[in-house]
Amino acid sequence: MSTMNAVPLTKSQKKRMKKNKAKAKKAQAATAAPTELDPFNAHDALRIGLQELGFTLADIDKSIEEMWNSDLDYSDMNAVAAYMAMNAEKRAHEDIQIHTNVNADADADADA
């Protein structure tokens, strides 16, 4: 029978293991189900109201962050909804322009 000689871990190995364990725990927490929104919290109530209007949490958070960076009032649901609708219209208009430009370029290539 052979016995395994347990070699103690070095300080750097212990540190690396601890760091990797913390990374794994953080990654697991990030992928876990999001916490429930609290309707008594003003920010969560705003997000719940915007979700009921059909917006996704990712779009809501992105728009609120953009409004924060632009020093706009993001505490009013109507203001955030209007901002999000305006951005949706801009994106739709840009998509139409891009699509039109692509078609015009394709027609020009076909004529040549």
Side-chain angles (χ1 to χ4, degrees), residues 53-107:
L53 293 176
F55 297 108
T56 64
L57 282 177
D59 289 338
I60 294 167
D61 291 340
K62 181 181 176 190
S63 295
I64 290 174
E65 183 177 345
E66 289 172 359
M67 291 178 77
W68 164 266
N69 292 336
S70 300
D71 291 330
L72 299 173
D73 179 25
Y74 58 90
S75 61
D76 179 35
M77 186 173 76
N78 293 330
V80 178
Y83 181 84
M84 293 178 74
M86 181 184 67
N87 282 344
E89 287 177 21
K90 279 184 185 178
R91 281 192 299 272
H93 182 68
E94 289 172 359
D95 290 343
I96 290 170
Q97 277 187 322
I98 291 169
H99 185 68
T100 304
N101 290 342
V102 169
N103 286 342
D105 290 343
D107 291 342

Side-chain angles (χ1 to χ4, degrees), residues 6 10 21 26 28 37 41 48-49 51 56 63 70 82-83 86 92 94 103:
T10 64
K21 185 177 179 181
K26 186 176 180 181
Q28 183 181 13
L37 298 176
N41 177 318
I48 291 169
Q51 271 189 308
T56 64
S63 295
S70 300
Y83 181 84
M86 181 184 67
E94 289 172 359
N103 286 342

